[in-house]
Structures are given as C-alpha cells and as structure tokens.
Amino acid sequence: MINKEQSGQAARSLMMSEYQGILSTHSLEAQGYPFGSVTPYCFDRQGRPVIQISRIAQHTKNILADPKVSLLVMERNGDDVQANGRVTYLGQAQQVAPDDKDTIERYYRFFPDARDYHKTHDFDFYRLEFYRVRFIGGFGKIYWVEREDFLKENPFSPGEEAQAIEHMNQDHTDAINHYRQLGNIPVREGEHAIMAGIDGEGFNLLLGKRIHRFNFPEPVGTMQELRSELIRLAKLPN
C-alpha cells in the first residue's frame, strides 16, 4: 500500500519505467483549449523529463508562447485503465542548450533514430522543469508530489554511465540477454537487447524501439555497487 511518503518514489519509478506520454500545451490555434500530443521522453541527469520536438510542430509553437506544460504518463500493465498507475507531471519547458552534450547523448541512447531527425527537420531538445506532480497509484491512492520527493539526481557522472553502458554492450551481451530473460521480454526478429541508460535505481534495456526498465531492489551510488548489483542479477536463475 503506497502512502504519501512513498508516493514520490512510486511516481518517479512509474515515469522511469515508461518512455512516452501525452504532452499537453496551451493552444495558440484554439485559444483557451489544451492541446495534447504523444511524445517520447527520457530523464536527464537531474531526474527531469527531456523531449525532442520539431520547430514546425504545433506544440512547439505553443511552448514558445507559453512554456507551462503537463506530461501524462500511464502504466501500460493491467486491463483496467482506472486501476493502473499514472503520473501528471507539471512543469515549464525550457530549451536544452546545444552544448549540453550529456543530456543530448543520453536521449540518443534511448532513441537512436532521433539522430537522423535533424537531417529532415529542425528539432530541438526541451527539458521539463519540475513544478508539481499528481500521482495516482490506483483507486484511493492519489497524491500531490513535491520537488524534494520526486527529483533524484543520477549518482553517476556522464563518463561513468557511458563507460558502464559501453562495457556492458561490448563485453557482456550474455548478461544483458540474461536480464532480458529475467524480465520475460520477448525478442522480435532482427532485435537484440542493448543497455541504454543506468542510474542509481536501475537501468533500461533497448530492444528495437521498445524500452524496458529494471529496478534495483536497493539504490546504488558508486561504480563498485553498480558492478556488484549487475553481477548479482546476472547470476539469478531464469
């Protein structure tokens, strides 16, 4: 049973387990009405959602006029949508500086195809600065979540995360495949699992365009702790 104190962690975990949501902006075309559209996202190193949107998109024009947005993320599991967990993340969209290579490269690891978008359209990155979160964990479990309970900085530096991911993808494909099996994640023809992101609470695998989250039972904060946890998971029976 989730209580108010646990709601921040639960809301963060839900958002980190998904990778797309409904971005709502204030419509310029239809004044006074919210405008929603599907957008993929990942988290930056400070725990804020990052999106990539085209300059010609309607929601980009809306953001430039009014940066206040919401991002609705829903749990995919379960048949009863009303019983599933969901998060409404309220924030202000701020453009990511072109020289913020850490944020941009982290996004590309989650969405490799996005590297090609700049070849056809002008795309920019935006981070959603935290204002407030509304978390619904199911019937009767409804909470407002504040900044200090939701935001959690990644304990690993850009170099440490990149090094760990490269090492796993190049030298430990057998372990990554074992993680996939632990998660009962099917492989489609032509797919193979690679590690896309690591943080103190878990990691994400990428299969084709599908992203899957694995949460650690306890947070890790150092490279040695991360290594020990990845080894432990690799030894678990299927």
Side-chain angles (χ1 to χ4, degrees):
M1 181 69 176
I2 297 172
N3 57 36
K4 182 174 177 58
E5 288 69 31
Q6 298 167 324
S7 62
Q9 192 279 331
R12 183 173 63 252
S13 179
L14 192 157
M15 285 195 71
M16 296 182 81
S17 296
E18 304 297 335
Y19 56 94
Q20 60 186 11
I22 305 296
L23 178 72
S24 293
T25 56
H26 296 272
S27 178
L28 283 176
E29 183 71 24
Q31 287 286 333
Y33 287 88
F35 179 84
S37 53
V38 175
T39 185
Y41 69 89
C42 71
F43 276 22
D44 69 6
R45 205 156 299 280
Q46 286 70 47
R48 300 165 297 191
V50 174
I51 61 176
Q52 185 191 38
I53 50 180
S54 169
R55 295 175 191 171
I56 65 174
Q58 189 67 56
H59 50 206
T60 305
K61 298 175 182 177
N62 296 341
I63 284 172
L64 293 176
D66 187 339
K68 296 185 180 69
V69 303
S70 74
L71 181 65
L72 171 64
V73 178
M74 301 184 65
E75 185 180 19
R76 285 171 289 172
N77 298 327
D79 297 326
D80 185 353
V81 66
Q82 291 293 330
N84 288 354
R86 50 219 187 258
V87 172
T88 301
Y89 181 105
L90 305 178
Q92 293 212 17
Q94 297 185 1
Q95 189 170 343
V96 174
D99 61 355
D100 186 351
K101 300 302 182 184
D102 174 38
T103 298
I104 294 171
E105 288 301 317
R106 194 167 204 274
Y107 186 95
Y108 285 153
R109 285 202 298 267
F110 279 78
F111 307 104
D113 290 349
R115 288 187 185 274
D116 296 328
Y117 292 170
H118 293 282
K119 297 177 182 179
T120 55
H121 296 291
D122 289 326
F123 278 78
D124 294 309
F125 291 94
Y126 287 81
R127 63 167 47 89
L128 307 185
E129 292 288 352
F130 185 96
Y131 175 70
R132 218 175 180 198
V133 156
R134 185 70 163 174
F135 171 68
I136 301 177
F139 292 114
K141 294 177 283 187
I142 304 173
Y143 306 99
W144 281 107
V145 179
E146 307 303 332
R147 175 185 299 271
E148 62 272 14
D149 297 317
F150 182 86
L151 293 181
K152 188 176 181 64
E153 187 173 353
N154 193 325
F156 304 112
S157 70
E160 288 174 331
E161 183 186 17
Q163 178 186 12
I165 289 172
E166 182 179 5
H167 175 65
M168 293 300 298
N169 287 337
Q170 290 187 356
D171 301 331
H172 295 289
T173 55
D174 53 344
I176 290 176
N177 190 52
H178 183 72
Y179 304 151
R180 179 193 61 78
Q181 294 173 353
L182 288 176
N184 294 315
I185 304 170
V187 176
R188 299 169 183 170
E189 185 176 355
E191 286 184 345
H192 66 280
I194 61 173
M195 193 165 284
I198 299 174
D199 56 81
E201 295 180 305
F203 62 89
N204 291 83
L205 295 185
L206 178 66
L207 288 91
K209 295 185 179 182
R210 296 173 294 143
I211 299 171
H212 295 269
R213 175 73 176 176
F214 291 78
N215 290 316
F216 299 142
E218 297 292 335
V220 300
T222 67
M223 292 294 281
Q224 181 57 47
E225 290 173 349
L226 172 63
R227 180 176 182 275
S228 297
E229 181 58 22
L230 293 176
I231 291 174
R232 185 191 70 82
L233 287 172
K235 293 180 178 179
L236 289 179
N238 292 336

